[in-house]
Amino acid sequence: MSGGASNLEILLSADSVYDFADKVEALQMVTAHDTSLIHLLKSEMASVKKQKTAIEQNRQAAADAKTSVSEKQGELSGFVREAQGVINDMSAKESSLQSASDDFAQKEEAASQAIDKWYADYQASQEKKKVELAQKQASQQKRSVSAKTAGSSSVADSTSGGAGAIGSGSMVWPVPSCQVITTYFGQVDEVHSHPHKGVDIGASYGSTIVAPDSGTVVMAGAGAGYEGYGNVVAIDHGNGLISLCAHMSSVAVSSGQTVAKGQVIGYVGSTGYSTGPHCHFEVRLNGTPVNPMNYV
Ligand SMILES: [Zn+2]
């Protein structure tokens, strides 16, 4: 209803019964209209209130979700940090292992070079001996010839023609109790950066090692320069072949001794640059490493 007049004033201003009736009807219509308007407003207000509540609930849910997301983010970055730590730790361990392995490979190579030098020196000394022997024989022959010419009796040549026992050329397996090969001839891997010069026999500590063939012991025990090989026994088989067993816990022969094929020469160990008990068995033909499997 609009205007400042009250319902009573409107009714009192009627100038006839009909006019009064008209005014009453008009007032009733206005009141009904107002009432429905009020109902509409009330329901709209209720709806707005409902919506407001829903919005507030949504806002709370959104806030809760945001909190949960940031909590999860925090948790996740914690995991990421932890994983990164593990990765860093692992790569540190890897590089330390790599340098240990490089170090081991370097030492092994140094020992291998030292033993190569030993072979070369040994070969040279044998050659020298041969030359000296030949010279001695030649001069003896000369003397003998001149003595004969002079009519005297000849001088017998008592010098032997070679170094010690001559092997058969075929060898027996040096570790009778174990046939397991852990590293093959020529093998290159994480531990052996250069081709392996022999075969490694994975025998247990203390297993017996025997002479692969008969011959003369030319190296027994640990030597300067080739410490990496640990306790070694090398046998000159007299036919250009030298066999060598390394990393022994102890040796059972001494240098210069003549040994028979199959005779005990030492025991399996892990002396020198070795990662566990094994027998490194190598064969050299005129100083050059050859595959031992071709001789056993
Ligand atoms: Zn080896």
Side-chain angles (χ1 to χ4, degrees), residues 29-269:
M29 278 170 70
V30 167
T31 307
H33 176 256
D34 282 0
T35 307
S36 78
L37 206 65
I38 285 163
H39 279 309
L40 188 69
L41 279 172
K42 268 188 182 167
S43 95
E44 275 185 1
M45 269 171 74
S47 156
V48 164
K49 200 178 171 189
K50 223 174 173 181
Q51 280 176 25
K52 198 184 158 199
T53 309
I55 285 168
E56 265 167 9
Q57 276 171 349
N58 283 344
R59 194 194 284 159
Q60 189 54 47
D64 288 351
K66 201 180 157 195
T67 311
S68 155
V69 163
S70 64
E71 270 172 7
K72 286 222 165 78
Q73 257 173 355
E75 212 175 312
L76 205 66
S77 35
F79 283 143
V80 168
R81 267 196 304 277
E82 209 174 304
Q84 192 56 52
V86 170
I87 288 168
N88 292 346
D89 204 30
M90 273 170 77
S91 48
K93 272 188 189 135
E94 198 190 350
S95 61
S96 111
L97 269 174
Q98 186 56 53
S99 72
S101 157
D102 289 349
D103 191 40
F104 190 85
Q106 256 173 20
K107 280 179 176 166
E108 217 205 20
E109 181 55 18
S112 181
Q113 277 171 4
I115 215 105
D116 282 352
K117 190 182 176 305
W118 179 90
Y119 274 115
D121 291 349
Y122 180 76
Q123 292 287 126
S125 76
Q126 291 297 101
E127 286 303 313
K128 204 178 155 200
K129 263 188 203 165
K130 257 189 225 168
V131 170
E132 281 170 0
L133 191 68
Q135 281 171 346
K136 201 173 165 189
Q137 280 173 339
S139 72
Q140 271 176 350
Q141 215 161 13
K142 224 184 204 175
R143 258 186 281 144
S144 164
V145 168
S146 57
K148 259 182 199 163
T149 318
S152 315
S153 61
S154 69
V155 179
D157 182 6
S158 60
T159 319
S160 91
I166 306 287
S168 62
S170 82
M171 298 183 177
V172 293
W173 193 242
V175 188
S177 64
C178 178
Q179 303 291 321
V180 178
I181 294 173
T182 53
T183 311
Y184 288 88
F185 179 75
Q187 189 171 323
V188 177
D189 53 35
E190 316 79 61
V191 181
H192 306 89
S193 53
H194 296 270
H196 193 229
K197 289 172 180 168
V199 292
D200 285 345
I201 305 163
S204 55
Y205 194 90
S207 303
T208 300
I209 301 174
V210 301
D213 200 358
S214 55
T216 307
V217 176
V218 288
M219 195 199 290
Y226 51 89
E227 293 91 346
Y229 274 63
N231 289 322
V232 170
V233 169
I235 302 166
D236 185 348
H237 301 294
N239 43 12
L241 286 170
I242 292 179
S243 69
L244 176 147
C245 290
H247 309 300
M248 293 183 180
S249 55
S250 66
V251 302
V253 289
S254 50
S255 197
Q257 186 181 334
T258 301
V259 288
K261 189 177 195 168
Q263 183 180 333
V264 174
I265 55 169
Y267 304 92
V268 171

Side-chain angles (χ1 to χ4, degrees), residues 3-14:
S6 71
N7 289 350
L8 190 61
E9 278 170 343
I10 291 166
L11 289 175
L12 289 177
S13 70

